[in-house]
Amino acid sequence: MISHALIVAAGGAIGAALRHLAGISAIRLMGIGFPYGTMFVNVFGSLIMGLFIAWLAKRSGTSTELRLFIATGILGGFTTFSAFSLDVANLFEKGEIVPAMTYILTSVIFSLVAVFVGLWFGRAIL
């Protein structure tokens, strides 16, 4: 039990660091007017989650530790629906209703589509 928590924590640290770097990169590339970094990590992380889970499903004997490290740890630390919620609240508080609604819809729809694409692609190719 404790070792599993440490595995998740190690993966989470990696995922959080990657999320931070993606956020900084998005700000440098596109500015601070819209939370592109958070939207990117949620969509991309969902795609990778689908691919990874599809890959795991095709492999017999994969370890629980690998799933915990990558899916729960790295990808859990990388994707950021808590940050997403804060971004939405900030947009609403600034009175930016249309950007907030656009952000909600595009993030949720693209993330759901991405996980299904990842599952489909992973099942077909991996």
Side-chain angles (χ1 to χ4, degrees):
M1 181 77 89
I2 298 287
S3 63
H4 285 177
L6 293 174
I7 289 167
V8 170
I14 293 167
L18 291 171
R19 180 180 69 233
H20 174 69
L21 293 173
I24 289 172
S25 297
I27 288 169
R28 287 184 180 156
L29 290 171
M30 295 174 258
I32 60 171
F34 190 82
Y36 291 106
T38 303
M39 188 170 72
F40 168 77
V41 297
N42 284 332
V43 172
F44 184 70
S46 294
L47 175 65
I48 298 304
M49 182 70 80
L51 288 168
F52 180 68
I53 295 303
W55 179 81
L56 278 181
K58 288 198 170 205
R59 305 287 185 266
S60 61
T62 55
S63 71
T64 299
E65 289 79 10
L66 179 65
R67 181 184 54 78
L68 289 171
F69 180 71
I70 294 175
T72 307
I74 293 175
L75 293 173
F78 183 67
T79 58
T80 56
F81 271 88
S82 59
F84 164 81
S85 299
L86 182 59
D87 289 335
V88 170
N90 286 334
L91 288 169
F92 272 111
E93 287 181 351
K94 291 191 290 184
E96 297 180 13
I97 305 306
V98 172
M101 295 306 295
T102 301
Y103 181 51
I104 291 166
L105 291 172
T106 56
S107 293
V108 172
I109 291 168
F110 288 169
S111 293
L112 289 170
V113 168
V115 79
F116 282 108
V117 167
L119 286 167
W120 172 81
F121 188 76
R123 289 174 180 150
I125 303 300
L126 301 177

